[in-house]
Amino acid sequence: MTAKVKVGLALGGGFARGMAHIGVLQALADHQIPIDMVAGTSAGSLVGAMFCAGLDPWLLARAAEQMNWRSLVRLKLRREGLLDATGLERFMLGAMGDLHFKDLKVPFTAAATDLMTGEEVLLTNGRVATAVRASCAFPGIFLPVRVGQHTLVDGGLVHPVPAAVVRRMGADVVIAVELSRPRAETRPPRNLLHIMLYSLAVVQRPQIALALRDADVAIRPELNAFGVIELERLSEMIRIGREAAVAVMSAIRTAIAQAEAARQRAAPDLQPAPVPEG
């Protein structure tokens, strides 16, 4: 009997737009698509960690309704950044408890970037809430997070969509969720945060294209109508994430079926050899 095909989910960054990931998870649950492992970047790490802790997507939506920027961040105006995001850790502790990676029900990796070397740091040990805060620490806006020997910032600098990370975790089928799909009409930047994010988006476009090559199916909700800090439009973003996932559900099922067929073809013949007569 061959081993079960493993399905992995790669959740990209997107600030408040990351709440669309909840809708994707709702659609996957509704259509009984199993998720065996998750990797997340920035907002994707927040949603992914809470899902892997055991919160179903509807509980996740209710928890997310309690989020607001006043409770998540505090103004610091330090040389390293403008905002302290320790409130994000407090939110996670209230929603899922002070869990370590070993406590999670589904294997999870949070992608971060070493500020000093520019190298990826894939967090799979220690406190989950601290790892998520590191993965979300957009440089210049949020204070970096010290974890072990690393000074960490947003994982989107190296893994805007961590599909390759999920593949390395052992996934046979990788579903990637990318939240920065550009459109022709983009609103002009209104403040420093928008300018920084637009600049990052320009740099990330080739990275995202490369990242999606590691995915079997890409889910790309259209979220340009939403500002990057509009947490108050949570329900709309969840709906759009859910609809985007449903739109590619047949492709997901096909990818899983193809992986199962390939596994069957590659499996050794387990039937015992016939015993020669005499």
Side-chain angles (χ1 to χ4, degrees):
M1 183 176 180
T2 58
K4 172 184 174 293
V5 164
K6 294 181 179 179
V7 179
L9 187 62
L11 302 179
F15 276 70
R17 293 173 181 169
M19 298 305 101
H21 289 313
I22 299 173
V24 171
L25 287 165
Q26 289 178 348
L28 294 173
D30 279 340
H31 288 79
Q32 299 182 322
I33 302 298
I35 300 301
D36 299 296
M37 61 199 71
V38 179
T41 289
S42 195
S45 73
L46 170 62
V47 174
M50 294 175 69
F51 170 76
C52 291
L55 277 72
D56 72 40
W58 292 269
L59 282 175
L60 250 173
R62 288 200 288 273
E65 289 172 356
Q66 309 305 313
M67 290 197 303
N68 61 79
W69 289 110
R70 182 173 296 179
S71 64
L72 294 178
V73 300
R74 290 185 299 169
L75 185 65
K76 282 295 184 181
L77 297 178
R78 294 182 183 171
R79 288 178 298 177
E80 302 95 334
L82 302 177
L83 301 173
D84 178 355
T86 52
L88 177 63
E89 288 197 41
R90 289 193 297 271
F91 165 75
M92 295 188 69
L93 298 184
M96 68 179 201
D98 190 6
L99 300 183
H100 286 229
F101 279 85
K102 62 181 176 60
D103 303 318
L104 297 175
K105 300 181 184 303
V106 176
F108 171 67
T109 299
T113 305
D114 188 306
L115 181 62
M116 308 308 295
T117 66
E119 296 175 341
E120 69 171 27
V121 177
L122 303 180
L123 299 167
T124 58
N125 292 289
R127 295 180 72 243
V128 176
T130 301
V132 168
R133 180 161 67 95
S135 183
C136 293
F138 189 86
I141 300 296
F142 299 112
L143 296 175
V145 179
R146 187 78 177 175
V147 176
Q149 301 301 311
H150 301 286
T151 300
L152 299 179
V153 294
D154 197 307
L157 299 180
V158 289
H159 288 295
V161 185
V165 177
V166 176
R167 188 73 70 184
R168 277 186 263 166
M169 292 172 71
D172 302 298
V173 176
V174 176
I175 303 168
V177 188
E178 197 275 304
L179 305 180
S180 303
R181 186 175 70 176
R183 66 177 185 179
E185 316 86 31
T186 301
R187 293 180 293 182
R190 299 191 300 274
N191 52 47
L192 175 62
L193 177 59
H194 283 138
I195 291 171
M196 294 178 70
L197 290 172
Y198 281 29
S199 300
L200 180 63
V202 171
V203 174
Q204 282 185 332
R205 282 173 192 164
Q207 283 183 291
I208 290 170
L210 286 172
L212 293 180
R213 292 181 187 178
D214 282 298
D216 296 287
V217 181
I219 301 172
R220 307 186 77 184
E222 174 54 77
L223 297 166
N224 279 286
F226 300 90
V228 293
I229 61 172
E230 289 187 279
L231 286 172
E232 65 274 12
R233 299 181 68 185
L234 172 75
S235 61
E236 296 174 70
M237 289 185 280
I238 290 175
R239 175 181 56 79
I240 289 173
R242 185 168 56 245
E243 290 171 353
V246 170
V248 298
M249 200 58 65
S250 62
I252 293 172
R253 293 193 185 282
T254 297
I256 294 172
Q258 290 174 343
E260 288 173 342
R263 178 69 64 85
Q264 290 286 346
R265 289 193 298 271
D269 185 2
L270 300 180
Q271 297 297 320
V275 178
E277 295 182 4

